[in-house]
Amino acid sequence: MMMKNCMDINECSLSDNLCRNGRCVNVIGTYQCSCDSGFQATPDRQGCVDIDECTITNGGCDTHCSNSEGSYECSCSEGYALMPDKRSCAGQWMILLCTATPNIDECEDNPEICDGGQCTNIPGEYRCLCFDGFMASLDMKTCIDVNECDLNPNICLHGECENTKGSFICHCQLGYFVKKGTTGCTDIDECEIGAHNCDMHASCINVPGSFKCKCRSGWLGDGLKCNDLDECATEEHKCNLNANCVNTPGSYRCACRDGFNGDGFSCSDVDECADNVNLCENGQCLNAPGGYRCECEMGFNPTEDSKACQGECPGPEPLLGLSGLCWHLLLHEPAPSACWCQAPEVPPLPLVVVGAQPSESLG
Ligand SMILES: [Ca+2]
Ligand SMILES: [Ca+2]
Ligand SMILES: [Ca+2]
Ligand SMILES: [Ca+2]
């Protein structure tokens, strides 16, 4: 047979569709496929087909193997987890015990991971223990701020609630403050801390959210300004009828009038006649409420205030050795008075003028 002179055809360059899942390699007289990983060449070497890895020792999988085009996957029964080698399966308790398993410390890698809580690393994951004011998410992987204002709209009592991360702030109404160790707004005791403007003669009375001033007894006013009450002028005193009332700032005093003894609220008459037997010489002392008066003997007259007796005329003996009765006479100036005395055993009646000119005589 005659051999014709032939030229090789490069099939790979003629068609792009050869060797799907592989690479076309031209050889003399034909072509062959070099297959991708997970594929194997057909017996004629002109195509690539998937390798079913699961048929070869179960693909190395511990439990389940599922083949796919160009690959395969291992999976585990329920309650077991696929280990990082993508083949082995282990129960949760084994994960915890398995020191060979590389463990990532999320807490150290990301210190902010539990923002608002304490991060606890456990093999394969982490948990957040949340601080007060935060609550853990369902998966316990984050901490969420508690909105105290929404949770309890009355939490500040007498103020506005403002939620903050991890806590809340009470903006109290006037007259209230947040007392240490309490949550809501508490009344300020303005009286106790001296934050009031009551008059110095007023009592401070604390009330919720404010305070009141009240003038003390003996003072009049609105509490911010108190003026003395004049008990004597307004007749609001309890002085005895026989006492004088003396007004004082915030009060008053009572003083028994002359002739009375006592504390002013109770006054009793002084018995001057008993206290001093020398009163009313030439007369009789008569006690009277608040004083005394003299009832004078014949020939004596009471002084203007009736507290003593004075002789109407000087006694008869000093007058020229005469004795007898004397009568009072009214004379013209400059002699204001005169006595006319009679000596009964010596008629006729002599007349002696006292206080007038010595030479002057009547009759
Ligand atoms: Ca909060
Ligand atoms: Ca108050
Ligand atoms: Ca007074
Ligand atoms: Ca008296």
Side-chain angles (χ1 to χ4, degrees), residues 133 145-148 163-168:
D145 169 55
V146 174
N147 188 331
E148 295 85 353
N163 185 45
T164 63
K165 191 169 163 185
S167 186
F168 65 99

Side-chain angles (χ1 to χ4, degrees), residues 263-283:
D263 59 4
F265 298 98
S266 127
C267 297
S268 54
D269 174 54
V270 174
D271 187 345
E272 295 83 355
C273 304
D275 288 357
N276 183 356
V277 291
N278 295 325
L279 290 175
C280 299
E281 206 182 344
N282 301 311

Side-chain angles (χ1 to χ4, degrees), residues 12-39:
C12 298
S13 63
L14 289 177
S15 170
D16 285 340
N17 294 331
L18 299 171
C19 296
R20 207 161 59 85
N21 298 317
R23 195 165 49 83
C24 181
V25 180
N26 183 46
V27 295
I28 303 292
T30 185
Y31 70 96
Q32 288 181 356
C33 293
S34 167
C35 296
D36 295 341
S37 141
F39 292 89

Side-chain angles (χ1 to χ4, degrees), residues 28-292:
I28 303 292
T30 185
Y31 70 96
Q32 288 181 356
C33 293
S34 167
C35 296
D36 295 341
S37 141
F39 292 89
Q40 61 184 350
T42 51
D44 63 4
R45 296 185 152 268
Q46 294 198 336
C48 295
V49 291
D50 170 58
I51 303 167
D52 187 349
E53 292 90 346
C54 295
T55 58
I56 313 156
T57 62
N58 200 31
C61 296
D62 252 10
T63 313
H64 303 295
C65 180
S66 54
N67 183 46
S68 61
E69 190 76 356
S71 184
Y72 74 102
E73 247 180 19
C74 298
S75 58
C76 302
S77 307
E78 214 180 307
Y80 291 82
L82 193 64
M83 300 302 283
D85 65 4
K86 303 268 187 210
R87 283 172 174 73
S88 328
C89 293
Q92 295 289 340
W93 62 274
M94 268 193 76
I95 296 174
L96 294 167
L97 292 176
C98 185
T99 50
T101 309
N103 181 22
I104 301 160
D105 189 338
E106 293 89 347
C107 302
E108 200 158 288
D109 289 355
N110 183 2
E112 299 291 303
I113 201 163
C114 284
D115 195 14
Q118 171 86 49
C119 181
T120 307
N121 183 50
I122 55 173
E125 54 181 331
Y126 68 97
R127 292 267 185 282
C128 292
L129 282 172
C130 299
F131 301 140
D132 278 357
F134 292 89
M135 59 181 184
S137 57
L138 273 181
D139 61 5
M140 298 185 77
K141 283 188 160 48
T142 48
C143 292
I144 307 159
D145 169 55
V146 174
N147 188 331
E148 295 85 353
C149 304
D150 281 353
L151 215 61
N152 179 2
N154 232 352
I155 197 161
C156 286
L157 298 167
H158 301 282
E160 288 279 321
C161 183
E162 183 196 334
N163 185 45
T164 63
K165 191 169 163 185
S167 186
F168 65 99
I169 299 170
C170 287
H171 299 286
C172 297
Q173 294 163 12
L174 203 69
Y176 292 89
F177 77 119
V178 179
K179 197 172 170 179
K180 222 173 180 181
T182 63
T183 44
C185 296
T186 311
D187 171 55
I188 297 171
D189 190 336
E190 294 85 355
C191 302
E192 197 185 299
I193 63 167
H196 64 82
N197 55 346
C198 296
D199 190 276
M200 63 182 291
H201 301 297
S203 301
C204 180
I205 302 147
N206 183 44
V207 297
S210 186
F211 64 94
K212 281 181 183 165
C213 303
K214 191 169 182 284
C215 290
R216 294 206 187 93
S217 119
W219 298 89
L220 283 179
D222 60 4
L224 300 178
K225 183 94 191 73
C226 298
N227 295 312
D228 172 53
L229 165 66
D230 189 340
E231 294 86 351
C232 302
T234 55
E235 301 277 316
E236 285 172 60
H237 63 82
K238 292 196 168 75
C239 292
N240 190 274
L241 278 174
N242 296 312
N244 290 320
C245 178
V246 182
N247 183 44
T248 62
S251 185
Y252 65 96
R253 273 190 293 113
C254 301
C256 290
R257 296 206 179 101
D258 281 350
F260 291 91
N261 259 344
D263 59 4
F265 298 98
S266 127
C267 297
S268 54
D269 174 54
V270 174
D271 187 345
E272 295 83 355
C273 304
D275 288 357
N276 183 356
V277 291
N278 295 325
L279 290 175
C280 299
E281 206 182 344
N282 301 311
Q284 176 137 20
C285 182
L286 293 177
N287 184 41
Y292 69 96

